[in-house]
Amino acid sequence: MADVDKWVYSNVVKDHFMRPKGFLLGEPKEGEFDSYGEVGSLACGDIIKVWIKVDKETDKIKDFKWQTWGCATAIASASAFAEMIMKNSGMKVEEAMNIKPKDIADYLGGLPARKFHCSILADKAFKKAVENFRSKN
Amino acid sequence: MDHAAAAPMDKRVKKAMEPYWTENFGNPNALYKEGLIARNAVETAREDIAKILGARAKEIIFTNGGTESDNLAIFGVVKNFKNGHIITTKFEHHAVLNSCKHLEKEGFEVTYLDVSKEGVVKPEDVKRALRPETILVSIMYANNEIGTVQPIREIAKAIRDFKKKGVIDEAKQNFSRFTLPRNGAGSDASQNFASPRLSAAFPLFHTDACQAPGYLDINVERLGVDLMTINGSKIYGPKGIGLLYAKNGIKLEPLLYGGEQERKLRPGTENVPAIVGLAEALKIADKDREKESARLVKLRDYFINRLLGEIPKTVLNGHPTQRLPNNVNVSILDAEGESIVLYLDEAGVACSTGSACTSESLEPSHVILAIGKPHAYAHGAMRFSLGRSTTKKDIDYVMKVLPDIIKKLRMFSPVNIKI
């Protein structure tokens, strides 16, 4: 029998989608973050914004928050990415820059193939935020 | 809340089909008793259906569903021509839209008519698009996503008027050619008489009426259509069965080649139980139409009012009244359709969305775009289609869970669309 009892996404995806972690409620406060990055568009159906705060001495990520409008993959991958880089009180920026969509998909226990390219946006938004941060400092 | 996708088969339909699985399993094309029983079942079903449609039995061709009927109508007519012009709309079902797109590759010209902001085709637009070389007009009766009901009678009249005018013009033209012969004009005129233009017969008018039988008049005479698609699964009948009504005298080419079943238009052993089921489903739809429509219109409007009233930044897609009694379609802004569907599924509510994320192609609903709404509206478009089992309690339940779901999704959404 075909396994129809399974959700369309993995349980890990479902958990991150239904109980997302590390999102920003409302607008950021003045000085709350060092930088900001955004990818996606209304036309394609996914938009993600991320905010980062970096410890300038250790180059560790002190805070990371996101907001996402989009499908379950977009929301779950943002939540998963936040969890990945904030583990052990924050990853080094360089290390976090190396996280690839495949790493996020693996962390989530796999994603449907067609969702891979369009919906894993957290890493890209993060890179933009880091670029903004680097150019400011 | 997704009856437009699939309706549960009515118990009465199941009962009517029951004898034709193992008991009366005969091939309707066999000459012995078992065959005759099956043939009798098929032809009785055909007659019953013809009566409901106001058609003749021989005008009903059984197919495997709506998509095949649409294809048979379009390719069946067009295959008799090497080139020509087809009129359809931008918000047809993909069975029609993609058939037309394919024909464009084969050299046919297709006009995809715009629809109004409220999702209704204007008969004047059809009239303006008609050309002497137009072979076929295919316009759906009720849109499957936003439920808007199209003015099929008025469109049929516009086509009839165009044909009449065409016949008169052609006669005048031929007359003048006879009376004012020029060099070689004689042979020209005789060619013209034998021309396949046949103003009287073309263009033909096809309508996909898959969403209609439960709620709208499907009498082909009154509608004035030449071809009409109906399928079983949307009307509480079996899946894998449909029909094409094709007016007597219309020359169709089959899509499939094989035996001589269905007047050589649809080869293959007839699906006897499904045909019997389709007839039973249509009979029930016909009998309950008025009562069920009146009941659902009330529920629909109650639901729409609550959605628009209780969830901020929600807009109705389609016409407020000129829509199927069971169709509710709203765009909920700043939240995305796939997420809403999955959150609702978790709460035990099944519905569908126009969001790109749920389609294989990752394209958002062509219907929502066709009514002039931006992409973000399509990504947040939610269709709730009510059915026989839907009660006010079900709607109250949706309205108990949905506002909180939207609140939650908007809580971590960076989007703030201005209406």
Side-chain angles (χ1 to χ4, degrees):
Chain A
M1 275 256 302
D3 191 3
V4 291
D5 210 29
K6 240 166 80 178
W7 211 52
V8 62
Y9 297 113
S10 77
N11 280 333
V12 189
V13 175
K14 187 174 177 176
D15 192 54
H16 277 285
F17 171 59
M18 303 296 295
R19 283 171 290 275
K21 295 155 189 82
F23 62 86
L24 178 71
L25 200 60
E27 292 293 310
K29 286 182 221 56
E30 185 75 34
E32 194 180 351
F33 298 98
D34 295 323
S35 182
Y36 152 82
E38 175 180 345
V39 289
S41 74
L42 285 176
C44 72
D46 292 299
I47 292 180
I48 177 167
K49 289 186 184 180
V50 306
W51 292 265
I52 54 168
K53 189 156 187 74
V54 181
D55 185 323
K56 280 156 196 111
E57 280 177 16
T58 60
D59 208 35
K60 267 181 150 186
I61 302 156
K62 267 165 74 183
D63 199 6
F64 172 89
K65 288 282 185 298
W66 59 269
Q67 286 183 350
T68 298
W69 170 75
C71 63
T73 314
I75 291 167
S77 65
S79 172
F81 187 78
E83 202 173 70
M84 287 165 85
I85 65 170
M86 290 317 292
K87 241 179 215 167
N88 307 324
S89 64
M91 234 178 216
K92 283 229 171 196
V93 172
E94 276 318 306
E95 205 185 335
M97 289 286 275
N98 280 328
I99 296 176
K100 301 199 168 43
K102 172 135 194 333
D103 302 325
I104 303 174
D106 288 347
Y107 188 85
L108 284 168
L111 283 171
R114 70 193 172 90
K115 292 283 188 174
F116 204 87
H117 296 285
C118 64
S119 305
I120 305 178
L121 301 169
D123 57 316
K124 294 165 195 76
F126 172 73
K127 283 191 180 89
K128 275 200 175 172
V130 171
E131 278 161 28
N132 287 342
F133 173 72
R134 296 268 193 253
S135 64
K136 270 197 282 186
N137 292 276
Chain B
M1 294 281 165
D2 203 17
H3 284 81
M9 200 164 80
D10 191 291
K11 284 198 178 79
R12 290 164 286 182
V13 173
K14 197 175 170 197
K15 196 165 165 248
M17 291 167 71
E18 198 49 51
Y20 298 98
W21 295 110
T22 39
E23 204 179 314
N24 302 322
F25 64 90
N27 185 323
N29 306 294
L31 291 178
Y32 43 79
K33 198 176 79 196
E34 288 81 355
L36 294 180
I37 290 170
R39 171 56 57 202
N40 187 38
V42 168
E43 297 315 320
T44 305
R46 199 189 306 275
E47 279 166 24
D48 290 347
I49 290 169
K51 209 187 273 173
I52 291 166
L53 302 188
R56 282 181 266 186
K58 65 173 180 179
E59 295 173 320
I60 308 298
I61 306 152
F62 292 116
T63 67
N64 80 355
T67 294
E68 190 193 332
S69 293
D70 284 345
N71 274 264
L72 180 57
I74 295 168
F75 290 100
V77 168
V78 167
K79 271 183 172 182
N80 292 308
F81 293 83
K82 284 202 172 64
N83 49 53
H85 175 237
I86 299 157
I87 299 171
T88 185
T89 73
K90 285 187 179 156
F91 77 159
E92 289 302 307
H93 191 276
H94 283 117
V96 169
L97 222 43
N98 287 338
S99 296
C100 287
K101 280 186 187 152
H102 178 78
L103 284 168
E104 275 186 293
K105 282 188 209 146
E106 295 197 347
F108 289 86
E109 255 191 278
V110 182
T111 300
Y112 300 93
L113 294 175
D114 284 322
V115 297
S116 76
K117 278 187 180 142
E118 292 189 315
V120 180
V121 179
K122 293 191 194 93
E124 309 90 80
D125 289 346
V126 179
K127 208 168 152 182
R128 264 194 293 275
L130 286 164
R131 302 185 205 159
E133 66 272 22
T134 308
I135 306 164
L136 181 71
V137 179
S138 181
I139 294 173
M140 67 199 332
Y141 195 176
N143 184 275
N144 53 309
E145 287 187 32
I146 55 172
T148 50
V149 179
Q150 306 309 312
I152 296 300
R153 282 188 192 81
E154 289 81 354
I155 295 167
K157 186 175 181 302
I159 296 168
R160 265 199 315 277
D161 290 349
F162 176 81
K163 286 186 199 174
K164 268 184 218 153
K165 198 177 159 287
V167 173
I168 294 164
D169 287 352
E170 209 161 277
K172 272 187 194 160
Q173 209 178 9
N174 290 331
F175 181 73
S176 67
R177 282 187 186 177
F178 269 131
T179 50
L180 298 166
R182 274 175 287 172
N183 292 348
S187 62
D188 223 32
S190 62
Q191 259 173 23
N192 212 335
F193 264 126
S195 93
R197 165 66 192 94
L198 301 174
S199 316
F202 292 92
L204 296 174
F205 184 26
H206 166 249
T207 191
D208 178 331
C210 285
Q211 300 287 342
Y215 315 106
L216 307 172
D217 180 14
I218 48 166
N219 181 292
V220 291
E221 282 290 321
R222 284 196 291 270
L223 288 174
V225 296
D226 303 304
L227 299 136
M228 183 165 80
T229 294
I230 283 177
N231 94 340
S233 61
K234 313 281 187 206
I235 57 169
Y236 305 84
K239 292 181 181 65
I241 189 74
L243 68 87
L244 179 69
Y245 157 77
K247 197 176 191 167
N248 190 29
I250 289 176
K251 193 170 169 277
L252 288 178
E253 276 295 311
L255 300 176
L256 304 172
Y257 295 88
E260 299 193 345
Q261 293 90 349
E262 300 298 301
R263 296 192 291 125
K264 295 188 194 170
L265 288 170
R266 214 293 182 169
T269 301
E270 294 87 342
N271 188 349
V272 182
I275 289 170
V276 170
L278 175 63
E280 184 65 19
L282 262 179
K283 274 192 253 178
I284 297 166
D286 195 47
K287 186 165 71 67
D288 294 348
R289 185 175 296 126
E290 269 178 55
K291 223 174 104 192
E292 182 65 355
S293 296
R295 185 183 79 88
L296 286 177
V297 162
K298 270 193 220 149
L299 281 183
R300 177 196 72 189
D301 293 344
Y302 169 72
F303 196 5
I304 291 174
N305 285 334
R306 285 200 67 181
L307 283 166
L308 301 184
E310 294 172 35
I311 302 176
K313 295 178 81 173
T314 299
V315 292
L316 181 68
N317 292 316
H319 198 279
T321 54
Q322 204 176 320
R323 71 189 300 138
L324 290 172
N326 72 329
N327 176 286
V328 174
N329 191 312
V330 291
S331 284
I332 305 178
L333 303 180
D334 306 343
E336 188 276 334
E338 189 204 76
S339 291
I340 303 172
V341 167
L342 293 173
Y343 268 92
L344 277 173
D345 181 34
E346 200 60 15
V349 179
C351 66
S352 64
T353 172
S355 164
C357 297
T358 56
S359 70
E360 276 302 316
S361 63
L362 295 173
E363 286 291 325
S365 159
H366 68 291
V367 174
I368 306 297
L369 299 183
I371 57 172
K373 299 252 168 86
H375 277 73
Y377 283 65
H379 290 300
M382 304 302 300
R383 180 187 71 178
F384 301 92
S385 42
L386 320 179
R388 283 184 194 152
S389 65
T390 312
T391 62
K392 184 170 168 289
K393 243 172 116 182
D394 298 321
I395 292 166
D396 289 338
Y397 177 71
V398 176
M399 288 314 299
K400 198 180 123 196
V401 295
L402 185 59
D404 286 342
I405 288 172
I406 301 305
K407 245 184 236 161
K408 183 170 177 183
L409 288 169
R410 281 175 179 167
M411 182 171 70
F412 47 78
S413 165
V415 172
N416 191 356
I417 297 162
K418 287 186 184 69
I419 305 187

